[in-house]
Amino acid sequence: MIRRGRSPGFGAVRGRFHLSARLRFRSPPFCARSVTDKRGRCTLRSEALQPVDPEEARTVARPPKPLTPDRSFAQFYGSRIRQDRDEAGMTLEELAQKLHCDPSQVSRYEHGERVPGIKTAQILDLLFGTSYYTEHNAVAANSRIPVRARPIAHYESGAAMIRSFSHGTVVGLLQSPSYVRALVRDGLMPQAIDEVSDERARRQEVLDGDPPAKLQAIMDETVIRRLTSHPEIARQQIKLILDRMEKWNVQVQLVHQSNFSYPGLQCSFTIYESRENGSLAAWHDGVGKAGRVIEDKAIIADLLESYDLIRSAAMSAAESRDVLKTIQESL
């Protein structure tokens, strides 16, 4: 029977409201537990939470993720960092503070998910009194590079001059992290997004080396215009290109979007000039595994001639900078 003026369940709702009010302002902290009596009626009871002893919590904390040094040299390299840190009696947080990074970054180093840069490797050697991390840094880094990209990384690391043209994407050495992640996410290897992004950033260090490689990059203007459909990515990407153009060793030129007949429309390619002996090698871009390294002198001569023709069709560096700034301001 329902009493006039009261809706079904009103008492239960009111009871829950008062209980929640009491629980909300109850001290010390509590938890609510459901209890069923012999007649099947369900009620809520509040129970005070017992404070946890920090020392006890530390002893039952989840153990660190196991290392797998036998899977790759990068992981072996990282396991050495863990070993030296443990022997020095240093916590993850303490090492992170000395390396000026986040503890999660150190954890990624130790598990071989990332390889520290050369400057970080030098700091590790100073901290642990070794020369191991500097001497083996390049090998560890190369072991994380996808197989397809290893020839490119090899020629880039030893290049004095890099001439690169792209009609479809931003030149690799100028790509921003967000742009790289977008390309990989929508490409053939989305599962490798972190790996590819990390190693692309590492390869770009050749522009800041001692001495740095010189980069002459030419891109079709439509590459930049297409970015405007993703304003946030475009802002980051254009800013990175403009910042690089302030460096003495980087020159960027755009081919006007109205030019429909210049030689570069057929393909994208990069030519590497060795710092050691001046020899030339090239990378002919392609989809997936279709890209290839070219060492044939006759083919490289044709690519050099094509590059010069593309460069003559491009805007000057100053004009290209103005176009980039105009697009940047429109975002």
Side-chain angles (χ1 to χ4, degrees):
M1 178 175 179
I2 300 174
R3 293 184 181 181
R4 188 184 302 272
R6 298 184 65 180
S7 60
F10 176 79
V13 173
R14 182 179 61 181
R16 284 199 298 271
F17 172 78
H18 285 301
L19 177 60
S20 64
R22 290 197 300 272
L23 295 181
R24 192 188 323 165
F25 298 105
R26 190 180 181 91
S27 181
F30 64 90
C31 66
R33 184 165 65 92
S34 175
V35 179
T36 304
D37 61 15
K38 295 180 180 179
R39 296 185 180 181
R41 292 178 298 188
C42 183
T43 59
L44 291 176
R45 292 182 181 177
S46 63
E47 297 180 355
L49 294 175
Q50 299 299 320
V52 179
D53 181 13
E55 291 298 326
E56 181 182 353
R58 194 174 293 114
T59 60
V60 297
R62 185 175 61 180
K65 181 180 176 182
L67 304 180
T68 52
D70 57 331
R71 293 186 180 177
S72 71
F73 187 75
Q75 290 171 302
F76 178 81
Y77 186 91
S79 71
R80 281 288 302 265
I81 299 176
R82 166 77 68 81
Q83 179 182 337
D84 285 343
R85 176 172 67 80
D86 288 342
E87 290 178 357
M90 197 179 297
T91 67
L92 198 71
E93 291 73 16
E94 289 171 340
L95 180 56
Q97 187 176 14
K98 294 181 183 297
L99 297 179
H100 306 288
C101 67
D102 191 84
S104 62
Q105 180 80 314
V106 177
S107 178
R108 286 190 283 269
Y109 289 158
E110 293 183 349
H111 288 88
E113 296 171 2
R114 290 189 179 181
V115 175
I118 188 62
K119 293 182 180 178
T120 302
Q122 292 169 350
I123 296 174
L124 288 169
D125 280 333
L126 289 173
L127 289 173
F128 301 130
T130 73
S131 59
Y132 177 86
Y133 297 107
T134 303
E135 292 174 353
H136 297 82
N137 184 257
V139 179
N142 288 338
S143 71
R144 274 193 52 80
I145 299 175
V147 175
R148 174 179 175 269
R150 288 181 185 176
I152 307 175
H154 168 72
Y155 288 114
E156 280 177 349
S157 63
M161 169 68 77
I162 300 172
R163 301 174 180 88
S164 188
F165 166 72
S166 178
H167 67 81
T169 61
V170 174
V171 167
L173 290 177
L174 297 175
Q175 292 177 358
S176 67
S178 60
Y179 182 79
V180 173
R181 296 182 72 86
L183 290 178
V184 179
R185 184 178 59 247
D186 298 333
L188 298 177
M189 297 177 59
Q191 73 280 4
I193 189 168
D194 291 329
E195 182 177 349
V196 174
S197 180
D198 291 345
E199 296 315 311
R200 182 63 54 86
R202 171 176 292 281
R203 284 167 47 196
Q204 292 173 353
E205 292 178 0
V206 299
L207 299 178
D208 301 310
D210 185 21
K214 296 179 182 178
L215 173 65
Q216 291 182 349
I218 307 176
M219 293 176 283
D220 195 296
E221 184 185 353
T222 56
V223 171
I224 307 300
R225 297 285 181 185
R226 194 180 298 122
L227 281 172
T228 58
S229 60
H230 300 278
E232 189 57 37
I233 294 177
R235 290 188 194 97
Q236 296 174 17
Q237 181 59 77
I238 294 174
K239 182 180 184 303
L240 188 149
I241 295 174
L242 289 172
D243 289 345
R244 281 294 185 186
M245 291 178 74
E246 296 297 323
K247 306 292 185 180
W248 66 269
N249 61 317
V250 176
Q251 183 182 73
V252 178
Q253 294 175 258
L254 301 178
V255 178
H256 198 281
Q257 60 183 343
S258 64
N259 193 330
F260 65 93
S261 60
Y262 69 96
L265 290 172
Q266 282 81 29
C267 66
S268 298
F269 59 91
T270 303
I271 302 170
Y272 306 96
E273 182 177 331
S274 171
R275 174 176 287 108
E276 183 177 350
N277 54 24
S279 61
L280 298 175
W283 172 260
H284 188 282
D285 212 356
V287 178
K289 298 179 181 179
R292 63 190 180 110
V293 172
I294 298 173
E295 295 179 326
D296 184 283
K297 293 182 178 180
I299 298 177
I300 292 176
D302 287 343
L303 290 176
L304 279 171
E305 185 175 355
S306 297
Y307 187 85
D308 289 340
L309 290 172
I310 297 169
R311 193 175 183 190
S312 65
M315 294 178 264
S316 68
E319 291 172 327
S320 300
R321 184 184 293 106
D322 290 341
V323 170
L324 287 167
K325 288 183 177 180
T326 299
I327 298 174
Q328 184 183 48
E329 291 168 359
S330 70
L331 296 173

